[in-house]
């Protein structure tokens, strides 16, 4: 019996050696270990042996069966691993090929700059108002203390629509419109397009401003400095320095122009060994006009300048965008060249 | 406003180095636009005196001059000119000195004679030419040994200042000197002109009348006899040239020089051409024409202020003189005018006639009404000194308007501090005001009584003086504070959120934001009239910059098509853009400003992944993008229907009208082939425009959550065969008309034409979702509902169910 088992063991080993696939293995398994398999039959025969022979032979037969089972499983596992390995070797992506081009549009740099400016002021408690672009001369000029024979009108090259209407030359008329309709305290900004008869590398006939003003019982020039410093530093970075210079606007007094330290040379007046061309080697860039609202403006809207004070400011968004992004020709902002717009 | 440092030094000591001076001016509100240092290369040229002139022994056309320098022996110079004689002061370029044009003068031997340098002509020094041949003969007052650049003031620094319109007083050297004195504490000195008057008296030569005292409160004249018109002296020409003025003649140059120096415009008439020796300042009275000295004929209106002689106008007062009475080469008697004309009158006339002269510019901004005669005397003295002639005895000075009554202004200490946010004392407020030249009359602790100086006509009220206090103290001294801003107000307002969501969604769909100018050509504005409900007549600009910017747009489409053109020319395969902006129209009486959205989409989407072909942009892209945006806004039912005739620039069969809640809100589709062809566009150009104000009106104020369904939906499909012109929407409409119970959603999911569908027909497939909120529907239940629905459709519409 033992000899039979040994012979069967050798035969099975031979059969397994000849196996090349899972199907071959299954055939061998059925031939020897199946219900009618040869080893199965041998094992069934163990019961017919003499009781003293049974344990040893039984043990041998079981050991053989275990070995065969293990061998079959091992081969299956190995082949599976080999096939996976083969697959892994065969399946290769060129990860350097470009990815899918998901469509995505770009925000216009003016909108980006305008939104940023508006968001800063809203975060400070200002509310947003709009006004008409086709404005009457009263709101654009007279109410802002710019009578018709005032030389300050030369500062505004005005587009005329009819004998009383013009395209607003600044966003300041929104000041008047808001104050005409409500009582202080008011903290308002008015972003939008304005128009002047001007067209060159730094001027466009249409451009954008954000007007802002704060009117209350005790608003001071110091407050103006504080609010605009906050705005500038949020817009251009905390290390941006400011300079308030006296200037003239008919609708504010005292009036100021605000310069920021040059965004290119940082105020050093030179870059890469040459003079800074952005600030023309002054170290400063003019960015805002501002001042304390003129008593004549308050009187025009029926406020008592003895009771309320306020400040107003205007910032040119094209200039902000040009400085922020290093754009040198304003006309690029209105040409809609996709090679330009895609950069934002 | 250009001026030179040397000129300033005649009025004030400059204690600061130039950099710091400029910084101080900038921080006082006088923007320094440019600083130019003029240092002629011929700095070594010196003043010498000719002692002896002899013929050159070996050359007929040369002279041998002996000249005296400040030190050392006489030197010999060979000279080709012959216009000098012993005793003349001339300019010597000594050996080793440089001249313009890369010339270096060395000791030389000329025809056997040693020449220790060269005697210079004006031309050789690049000085303003006086048109005389020969070398430069200097006036006798030139002292021997002095550097010529110093004597002429040719070595100087020119500063260009931007002066704001309120600071007319800064349009002169004297005015800037006053500012510098106030800023630096240096003392101002104004030399009094030395004047020698001779008989006959001025009144015997001219009679002056002012008939328009409101426009001309003050009018003063002097007369000079025996004047010799010639080029003005070299120093004056040099200085005028430095600040960019062309020298003309001694008389005219002096009027300009004194205007630049004192800020008082002056005019010189040839007295011989002032008829009857009568001068009058009056309104023109009638419409008439007048030729100004630039040779242009001007149309005057009755209200214009003119200066007349016995016959008629001789000058447009304060703006420009007349051609007939201007100073000429043969003028001998000069009538010199110095006046104060009111700013508004000058401005009205100058603006109407489109003239800006140095004179009108200053009058418009307000000159010093008190300095009229001082400037007149300065000019008369300079003319007498440079053009010879005698000054007639006495000045005629008509002060007819309200005299220069200076305001007394109360400046409250508390008010100053309340406005500035400072804690200044009365003394700290007084100091800068005095530095300005104001008189501080009364001085209580709570308020000052201040009389501003006559030359500061801009200082009329308390706040004007508060600004001066802040300006001279320095804005940098005012502490920055953070105000308490009272919360309230609408914040971003109702429009920003929907608009921003629209923008974001369109960008996600691949559309790039574009911004175009609001001005377009008239023809474009007619072709693209905007949405019919909102459009009116175009708004035209009276002073349009060009014909392609003559009107304000009624639609954003033309701007986007222009962008399409720009990008097509760059070879962009796809142009996908949107714009949100104002559109403008006029209904005859009132102007309307709407807010519109525009889209342009043309070309092909680039291949998204290599191997996939590019995909032409289609109506589905346009509709899909907009539909997504509408969906993001949770808008009320949006309907897409065939275009009626809302937009003639669109293809009638390939465009839709978009309604929200039954109201027309926009159009979308392909450009009409004629419009495309006219623009050289081939293929479909997809455009859309929406009325954003209406769209925003239909946005829900808030989003309301709907509970998730608890029971499953059951789907049934149906394919329906219809005529090929049949619109998918008709089935949807027919279903929603009966509002069948338990139908949750109906969706078009396929469209097919071709065998076995008969010619002229197509099949549209719908997927219908049934759901009950309280139970799971059974198959039988759904089958019954679906059969009823399909039966309803075939009864109501000319359609067949595809089996």
């Amino acid at each position: 019996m033992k000899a039979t088992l040994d012979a069967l063991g050798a035969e099975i080993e031979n059969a397994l050696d000849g196996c090349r696939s899972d199907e071959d293995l299954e055939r061998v398994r059925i031939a020897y270990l199946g219900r009618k398999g040869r080893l199965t039959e041998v094992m069934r025969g163990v019961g017919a042996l003499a009781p003293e022979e049974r344990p040893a032979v039984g043990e041998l037969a079981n050991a053989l069966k275990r070995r065969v089972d293990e061998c079959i499983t091992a081969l299956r596992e190995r082949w599976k691993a080999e096939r996976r390995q083969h697959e892994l070797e065969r399946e290769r992506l060129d990860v350097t090929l470009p990815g899918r081009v998901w469509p995505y549009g770009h925000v216009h740099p003016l909108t980006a700059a305008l939104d940023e400016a508006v968001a800063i002021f809203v975060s400070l408690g200002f509310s947003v108002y709009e006004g008409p672009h086709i404005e009457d001369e009263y709101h654009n000029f007279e109410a802002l203390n710019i009578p018709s024979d005032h030389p300050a009108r030369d500062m505004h090259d005005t587009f005329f629509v009819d004998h009383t209407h013009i395209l607003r030359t600044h966003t300041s008329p929104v000041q008047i419109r808001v104050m005409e309709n409500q009582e202080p305290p008011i903290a308002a900004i008015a972003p939008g397009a304005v128009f002047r008869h001007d067209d060159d590398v730094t001027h466009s006939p249409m451009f954008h401003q954000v007007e802002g003003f704060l009117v209350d019982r005790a608003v001071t020039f110091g407050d103006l400095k504080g609010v605009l410093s906050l705005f500038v530093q949020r817009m251009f970075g905390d290390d941006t320095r400011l300079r308030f210079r006296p200037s003239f606007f008919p609708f504010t007094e005292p009036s100021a122009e605000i310069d920021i330290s040059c965004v290119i040379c940082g105020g050093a007046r030179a870059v890469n060994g040459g003079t800074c061309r952005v600030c023309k080697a002054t170290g400063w860039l003019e960015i805002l006009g501002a001042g304390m609202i003129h008593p004549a403006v308050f009187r025009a809207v029926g406020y008592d300048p003895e009771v309320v004070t306020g400040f107003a400011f205007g910032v040119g968004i094209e200039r902000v965008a040009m400085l922020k992004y290093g754009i040198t020709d304003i006309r690029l902002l209105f040409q809609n060249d996709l090679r330009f717009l895609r950069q934002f | 406003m250009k001026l030179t440092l040397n000129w300033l030094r005649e009025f004030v000591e400059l204690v600061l180095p130039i950099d710091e001076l400029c910084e101080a001016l900038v921080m006082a509100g006088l923007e320094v636009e440019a600083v130019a240092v003029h240092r002629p290369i011929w700095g070594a040229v010196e003043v010498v005196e000719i002692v002896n002139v002899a013929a050159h022994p070996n050359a007929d056309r040369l002279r041998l001059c002996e000249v005296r320098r400040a030190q050392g022996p006489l030197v010999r110079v060979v000279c080709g000119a012959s216009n000098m004689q012993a005793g003349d002061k001339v300019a010597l370029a000594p050996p080793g000195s440089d001249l313009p044009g890369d010339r270096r003068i060395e000791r030389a031997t000329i025809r056997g004679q040693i020449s220790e340098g060269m005697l210079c002509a004006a031309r050789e020094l690049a000085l303003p030419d006086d048109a005389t041949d020969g070398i430069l003969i200097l006036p006798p007052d030139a002292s021997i040994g002095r550097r010529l650049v110093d004597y002429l003031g040719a070595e100087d620094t020119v500063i260009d200042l931007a002066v704001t319109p309120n600071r007319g007083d800064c349009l002169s050297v004297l005015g800037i000197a006053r500012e510098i004195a106030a800023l630096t504490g240096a003392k101002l000195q104004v030399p009094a002109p030395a004047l020698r008057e001779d008989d006959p008296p001025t009144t015997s030569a001219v009679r002056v009348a002012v008939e328009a005292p409101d426009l001309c409160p003050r009018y003063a004249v002097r007369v000079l006899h025996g004047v010799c018109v010639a080029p003005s002296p070299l120093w004056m020409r040099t200085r005028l040239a430095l600040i960019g003025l062309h020298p003309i003649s001694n008389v005219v140059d002096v009027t300009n020089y004194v205007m630049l120096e004192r800020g008082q415009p002056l005019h010189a008439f040839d007295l011989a051409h002032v008829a009857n020796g009568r001068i009058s300042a009056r309104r023109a009275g009638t419409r008439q024409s007048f030729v100004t000295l630039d040779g242009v004929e001007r149309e005057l209106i009755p209200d214009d202020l003119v200066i007349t002689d016995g016959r008629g106008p001789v000058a447009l007062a304060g703006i420009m003189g007349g051609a007939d009475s201007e100073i000429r080469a043969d003028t001998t008697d000069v009538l010199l005018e110095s006046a104060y004309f009111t700013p508004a009158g000058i401005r009205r006339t100058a603006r109407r006639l489109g003239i800006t002269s140095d004179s009108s510019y200053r009058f418009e901004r307000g000159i010093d009404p008190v300095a009229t005669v001082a400037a007149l005397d300065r000019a008369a003295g300079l003319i007498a000194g440079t053009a010879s002639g005698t000054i007639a005895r006495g000045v005629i000075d008509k002060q007819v308007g309200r005299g220069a009554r200076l305001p007394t202004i109360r400046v409250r200490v508390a008010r100053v501090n309340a406005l500035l946010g400072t804690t200044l004392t009365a003394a700290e407020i007084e100091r800068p005001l005095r530095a300005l030249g104001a008189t501080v009359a009364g001085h209580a602790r709570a308020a000052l009584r201040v009389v501003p100086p006559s030359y500061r006509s801009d200082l009329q009220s308390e706040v004007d003086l508060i600004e001066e206090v802040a300006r001279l103290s320095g804005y940098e001294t005012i502490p920055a504070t953070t105000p308490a801003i009272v919360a309230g107000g609408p914040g971003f307002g109702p429009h920003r959120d929907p608009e921003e969501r629209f923008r974001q969604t369109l960008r996600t769909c691949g559309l790039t934001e574009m911004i175009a100018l609001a001005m377009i050509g008239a023809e474009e504005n007619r072709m693209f009239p905007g949405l019919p409900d909102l459009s009116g007549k175009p708004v035209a600009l009276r002073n349009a910059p060009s014909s392609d910017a003559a009107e304000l747009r009624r639609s954003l489409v033309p701007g986007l098509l222009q962008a399409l053109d720009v990008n097509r020319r760059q070879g962009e395969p796809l142009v996908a853009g949107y714009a949100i902006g104002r559109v403008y129209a006029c209904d005859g009486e009132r102007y309307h400003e709407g807010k519109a959205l525009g889209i342009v989409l043309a070309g092909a989407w680039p291949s998204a992944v290599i191997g996939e072909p590019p995909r032409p942009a289609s109506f589905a892209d346009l509709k899909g993008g907009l539909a997504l945006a509408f969906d993001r806004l949770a808008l009320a039912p949006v309907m897409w229907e065939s275009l009626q005739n809302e937009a003639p620039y669109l293809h009638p069969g390939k465009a839709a009208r978009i309604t929200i809640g039954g109201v027309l809100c926009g159009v979308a589709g392909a450009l009409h082939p004629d419009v495309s062809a006219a623009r050289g566009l081939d293929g479909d150009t997809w455009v859309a425009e929406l009325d954003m104000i209406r769209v925003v009106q239909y946005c829900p104020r808030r989003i309301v959550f709907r509970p998730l369904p608890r029971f499953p939906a059951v789907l049934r499909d149906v394919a329906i065969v219809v005529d090929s012109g049949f619109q998918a929407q008709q089935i949807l409409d027919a279903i929603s008309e009966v509002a069948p119970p338990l139908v949750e959603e109906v969706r078009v999911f396929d469209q097919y034409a071709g065998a076995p569908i008969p010619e002229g027909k197509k099949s549209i497939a719908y997927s219908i979702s049934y759901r009950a909120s309280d139970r799971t529907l059974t198959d039988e239940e759904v089958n019954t509902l679906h059969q009823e629905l399909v039966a309803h459709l075939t009864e109501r519409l000319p359609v067949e169910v595809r089996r």
Side-chain angles (χ1 to χ4, degrees):
Chain A
M1 195 68 186
K2 183 175 179 293
T4 314
L5 275 175
D6 284 346
L8 197 57
E11 194 186 323
I12 293 175
E13 215 162 283
N14 249 338
L16 285 175
D17 277 352
C19 282
R20 291 289 171 271
S21 67
D22 283 357
E23 289 76 33
D24 292 350
L25 281 180
E26 187 62 9
R27 262 195 303 278
V28 170
R29 192 188 65 79
I30 291 166
Y32 295 99
L33 301 182
R35 245 178 341 124
K36 292 178 181 161
R38 306 236 329 261
L39 181 55
T40 315
E41 275 170 12
V42 170
M43 290 174 82
R44 259 191 225 120
V46 171
L49 291 178
E52 63 277 14
E53 269 185 295
R54 259 186 245 164
V57 174
E59 181 57 32
L60 273 177
N62 273 329
L64 179 59
K65 182 176 187 282
R66 260 198 318 274
R67 220 167 54 237
V68 173
D69 268 339
E70 277 166 15
C71 201
I72 287 174
T73 310
L75 275 173
R76 276 200 175 128
E77 290 293 317
R78 197 171 88 208
W79 289 346
K80 195 175 162 192
E82 278 171 7
R83 280 198 308 274
R84 169 58 47 85
Q85 189 55 38
H86 186 67
E87 270 169 27
L88 288 179
E89 275 164 22
R90 210 184 33 177
E91 291 176 355
R92 277 284 177 268
L93 279 182
D94 181 351
V95 297
T96 67
L97 286 176
R100 171 176 291 273
V101 182
W102 294 97
Y104 197 83
H106 301 262
V107 65
H108 195 285
L110 280 180
T111 307
L114 192 77
D115 284 353
E116 194 176 341
V118 168
I120 291 171
F121 285 114
V122 169
S123 78
L124 295 176
F126 286 78
S127 282
V128 185
Y129 296 84
E130 288 185 34
H133 294 179
I134 302 171
E135 188 51 280
D136 53 54
E137 289 197 89
Y138 173 77
H139 284 90
N140 197 79
F141 293 123
E142 274 87 4
L144 288 160
N145 198 29
I146 316 174
S148 62
D149 59 358
H150 197 287
R153 283 215 182 175
D154 288 350
M155 295 159 91
H156 299 250
D157 293 306
T158 310
F159 283 116
F160 292 90
V161 170
D162 62 32
H163 57 282
T164 53
H165 287 85
I166 57 159
L167 296 188
R168 66 179 184 189
T169 58
H170 47 182
T171 39
S172 305
V174 185
Q175 260 185 59
I176 303 298
R177 292 188 174 276
V178 172
M179 288 195 283
E180 280 172 342
N181 285 307
Q182 46 182 294
E183 291 298 313
I186 303 174
I189 57 167
V194 299
F195 304 86
R196 290 189 201 178
H197 212 298
D198 235 345
D199 200 356
D200 60 37
V201 175
T202 51
H203 297 91
S204 163
M206 177 178 101
F207 56 104
H208 298 79
Q209 289 183 334
V210 174
E211 180 85 7
F213 62 102
L214 175 69
V215 181
D216 205 343
R217 282 182 175 269
V219 178
T220 69
F221 192 86
D223 293 338
L224 167 67
K225 288 183 71 174
V227 166
L228 292 184
S229 300
L230 260 172
F231 166 68
V232 160
Q233 285 170 351
R234 288 200 192 166
M235 196 80 193
F236 290 99
D238 283 340
D239 49 358
T240 309
R241 286 171 294 119
L242 285 87
R243 175 171 94 163
F244 288 75
R245 275 189 291 116
S247 189
F248 170 74
F249 306 105
F251 36 96
T252 52
E253 192 163 27
S255 298
E257 263 169 2
I258 291 98
D259 299 335
I260 59 168
S261 49
C262 179
V263 293
I264 301 299
C265 66
R269 304 179 182 206
V271 272
N272 306 327
T275 56
C276 180
R277 286 198 298 177
V278 171
C279 65
K280 299 193 184 84
T282 61
W284 296 100
L285 296 166
E286 191 181 314
I287 192 89
L288 277 149
M292 300 304 291
I293 296 174
H294 199 284
V297 174
F298 283 142
R299 282 192 289 270
V301 297
Y303 289 4
D304 183 350
E306 287 291 311
V307 177
V308 293
T309 55
F311 65 70
F313 56 85
V315 55
I317 292 302
E318 276 74 6
R319 179 135 175 96
V320 169
M322 288 171 82
L323 292 177
K324 230 174 140 67
Y325 306 120
I327 301 162
T328 49
D329 186 341
I330 197 170
R331 288 171 291 206
L332 277 171
L333 291 169
F334 300 101
Q335 275 162 357
N336 297 315
D337 188 325
L338 285 167
R339 295 170 304 169
F340 171 77
L341 296 176
R342 271 197 289 265
Q343 299 180 33
F344 301 95
Chain B
M1 163 78 200
K2 284 183 174 177
L3 74 176
T4 82
L5 287 188
N6 285 342
W7 206 343
L8 274 175
R9 285 193 184 97
E10 292 172 19
F11 294 91
V12 68
E13 191 192 347
L14 302 181
V15 292
L16 296 176
I18 176 76
D19 285 4
E20 287 173 40
L21 177 67
C22 288
E23 174 81 7
L25 289 172
V26 167
M27 295 312 283
L30 286 160
E31 235 178 299
V32 177
E33 305 220 297
V35 176
V37 178
H38 290 263
R39 189 169 290 126
I41 193 168
W42 44 273
V45 172
E46 63 186 53
V47 179
V48 297
E49 186 182 34
I50 298 202
V51 178
N52 182 33
V53 182
H56 189 291
N58 306 325
D60 288 350
R61 301 177 64 182
L62 295 179
R63 300 282 183 284
L64 213 52
C65 304
E66 278 187 311
V67 302
R68 174 178 296 128
R69 300 179 71 175
Q71 286 163 350
L74 299 184
V75 296
R76 275 188 158 198
V77 185
V78 176
C79 184
S82 56
N83 63 325
M84 63 287 187
Q85 56 189 26
D88 280 348
K89 302 279 180 59
V90 294
L92 171 72
S97 58
D98 291 314
L99 293 186
D102 274 340
R103 282 177 79 190
R104 169 161 279 226
I105 301 303
E106 301 289 3
R107 172 193 294 211
T109 308
I110 300 168
R111 297 274 179 110
Q113 295 291 322
I114 286 175
S115 182
E116 305 262 5
M118 187 182 92
L119 300 182
C120 303
R123 208 175 292 123
E124 286 165 323
L125 300 176
L127 286 172
D129 203 348
D130 58 5
T132 55
D133 289 330
I135 62 164
L136 181 61
I137 309 293
L138 298 168
D141 66 350
S143 52
I144 298 167
R146 193 156 185 219
R147 294 200 313 152
L148 187 63
V149 286
D150 293 338
Y151 174 69
L152 294 177
E155 195 168 286
D156 207 344
T157 299
V158 178
I159 308 181
D160 193 359
L161 297 169
V163 177
T164 52
N166 58 325
R167 293 304 301 274
D169 67 297
C170 285
L171 294 172
S172 67
V173 177
L174 176 60
I176 302 295
R178 281 190 191 115
E179 275 293 292
I180 293 173
L183 292 170
T184 63
K187 199 169 154 40
L188 186 79
Q189 68 254 337
V190 186
L195 216 57
R196 223 189 71 119
E197 296 178 331
D198 282 304
D199 280 332
T202 309
T203 45
S204 70
V206 64
R207 275 189 298 156
V208 174
V210 175
E211 295 167 37
D214 55 330
L215 297 177
C216 173
R218 189 168 184 184
Y219 196 89
V221 298
R222 274 192 178 277
V223 167
L224 290 101
H225 296 288
V227 166
C228 174
V229 175
S232 51
L234 199 50
W235 65 265
M236 186 181 286
R237 279 185 282 146
T238 305
R239 186 165 274 179
L240 291 175
L242 272 177
I243 59 166
L245 230 66
H246 272 298
I248 296 165
S249 71
N250 45 11
V251 176
V252 176
D253 289 353
V254 164
T255 59
N256 285 328
Y257 188 88
V258 173
M259 172 184 71
L260 295 167
E261 182 178 278
R262 304 298 175 103
Q264 169 70 54
L266 299 163
H267 187 65
F269 297 94
D270 183 339
L271 188 55
H273 291 92
V274 173
N276 309 336
R278 287 173 59 164
I279 280 290
S280 177
R282 62 169 175 82
R283 285 182 165 77
T286 56
R287 289 187 165 272
Q288 52 190 295
S289 65
F290 173 64
V291 180
T292 43
L293 53 75
D294 54 5
V296 178
E297 188 169 327
R298 314 280 182 177
E299 293 301 320
L300 305 185
I301 60 168
D303 210 32
D304 288 331
L305 183 68
V306 290
I307 307 301
T308 59
D309 65 2
R311 274 196 303 269
V314 287
L316 209 47
I319 300 171
M320 198 175 278
D324 292 344
S325 58
E326 69 173 316
I327 301 296
R328 303 154 198 223
D330 62 355
T331 299
T332 55
D333 296 320
V334 172
L335 173 72
L336 205 54
E337 164 205 286
S338 178
Y340 179 83
F341 300 119
T342 47
I346 296 291
R347 182 166 173 80
R348 270 199 300 274
T349 301
R351 253 178 75 120
R352 200 193 72 248
L353 295 174
I355 311 176
T356 302
S357 63
D358 285 333
S359 168
S360 68
Y361 194 81
R362 284 170 174 75
F363 280 122
E364 282 180 29
R365 280 156 180 77
I367 61 164
D368 184 354
V370 171
T372 320
V373 171
L376 183 62
D377 287 352
R378 167 75 170 145
L382 272 174
I383 292 174
T386 61
S388 63
T390 56
I391 302 169
R393 189 171 306 286
V395 57
I396 297 177
D397 180 14
K398 298 279 183 193
Q399 293 193 58
V400 286
R402 282 188 346 142
R405 254 192 46 219
L406 301 171
T408 300
I409 302 165
R410 204 161 150 258
V411 179
R412 292 162 296 170
V413 174
R415 180 73 183 169
V416 173
N417 290 321
L419 202 61
L420 299 181
T422 48
T423 52
L424 299 173
T425 62
E428 285 167 325
I429 292 165
E430 184 175 346
R431 201 174 307 129
L433 293 177
R434 279 193 191 281
L436 280 180
T439 318
V440 179
H443 182 170
R445 205 155 17 151
L448 312 177
R449 285 158 51 82
V450 181
V451 181
S454 64
Y455 44 85
R456 290 296 303 271
S457 58
D458 60 315
L459 303 182
Q460 294 289 338
S461 63
E462 184 181 32
V463 69
D464 297 332
L465 294 173
I466 294 175
E467 177 174 59
E468 290 302 286
V469 170
R471 189 172 73 86
L472 290 179
S473 310
Y475 283 3
E476 69 279 4
T477 63
I478 298 170
T481 47
T482 311
I485 293 174
V486 178
F492 279 117
H495 291 264
R496 172 166 143 130
D497 186 47
E499 216 181 280
E500 182 54 26
R501 262 201 259 181
F502 230 93
R503 289 176 202 272
Q504 272 176 15
T505 309
L506 293 178
R507 286 204 294 274
T508 312
C509 294
L511 300 172
T512 289
E513 186 174 61
M514 296 179 163
I515 297 180
L517 298 184
M519 298 87 151
I520 65 170
E523 202 177 309
E524 291 276 90
N525 223 9
R526 268 152 202 72
M527 186 174 285
F528 299 97
L531 295 172
D533 275 20
L534 345 149
S535 65
K537 287 201 181 64
V539 178
L541 297 178
R542 289 187 147 194
N543 54 340
S546 62
S547 65
D548 57 4
E551 295 183 355
L552 296 178
R553 66 187 175 201
R554 293 191 288 178
S555 162
L556 297 177
V557 172
L560 289 166
L561 291 178
Q562 208 178 331
L564 172 64
D565 188 44
V566 165
N567 287 293
R568 272 282 170 84
R569 273 190 271 123
Q570 298 296 345
E572 290 288 342
L574 173 80
V575 178
Y578 74 88
I580 292 183
R582 295 259 178 120
V583 288
Y584 313 83
C586 178
D587 66 5
E589 283 297 299
R590 293 182 47 212
Y591 297 102
H592 293 292
E593 294 181 32
K595 187 172 273 180
L597 167 92
I599 291 180
V600 66
L601 182 61
W605 298 94
S607 150
V609 175
I610 50 168
E612 280 182 17
R615 190 171 58 76
S618 67
F619 182 76
D621 291 317
L622 188 63
K623 181 170 177 178
L626 282 170
L628 184 59
F630 292 140
D631 188 52
R632 296 292 305 124
L633 289 177
L635 282 175
V638 180
M639 295 297 288
W640 294 69
E641 300 156 343
S642 282
L643 196 66
Q644 283 155 14
N645 49 6
E646 291 86 354
Y649 65 88
L650 289 178
H651 188 305
K654 290 158 80 172
R657 63 201 296 271
I658 303 165
T659 59
I660 303 177
V663 178
L664 179 69
C665 287
V667 294
L671 275 190
H672 194 288
D674 292 347
V675 177
S676 288
R679 295 172 165 265
L681 298 169
D682 31 74
D684 282 329
T685 297
W686 301 100
V687 298
E689 53 183 325
L690 291 184
D691 175 353
M692 281 308 280
I693 291 176
R694 290 215 171 145
V695 167
V696 167
Q697 272 171 3
Y698 288 100
C699 289
R701 288 286 173 271
R702 60 201 191 100
I703 292 172
V704 182
F705 161 77
R706 286 187 307 275
L708 304 183
R710 289 171 57 208
F711 299 96
V714 181
L715 295 183
R716 289 287 184 276
D717 294 346
V718 59
I720 292 175
V721 178
V722 295
D723 287 345
S724 59
F726 189 91
Q727 292 189 325
Q729 181 72 33
Q730 287 176 263
I731 294 289
L732 302 180
D733 289 347
I735 294 175
S736 62
E737 240 170 58
V738 287
L742 308 179
V743 168
E744 183 185 53
E745 193 192 5
V746 184
R747 211 164 49 79
V748 185
F749 75 93
D750 196 17
Q751 172 175 276
Y752 174 75
I757 309 292
E759 188 86 353
K761 299 269 184 184
K762 64 181 177 181
S763 155
I764 308 175
Y766 294 84
S767 165
I768 302 165
S769 145
Y770 297 88
R771 193 198 299 267
S773 61
D774 55 350
R775 64 188 193 282
T776 301
L777 291 174
T778 62
D779 267 355
E780 300 84 74
E781 216 176 342
V782 172
N783 287 346
T784 312
L785 286 169
H786 191 60
Q787 277 159 19
E788 281 171 11
L789 181 67
V790 170
H792 167 76
L793 292 178
T794 47
E795 273 165 33
R796 283 193 56 90
L797 296 168
V799 301
E800 275 173 50
V801 175
R802 187 178 169 197
R803 302 289 171 191

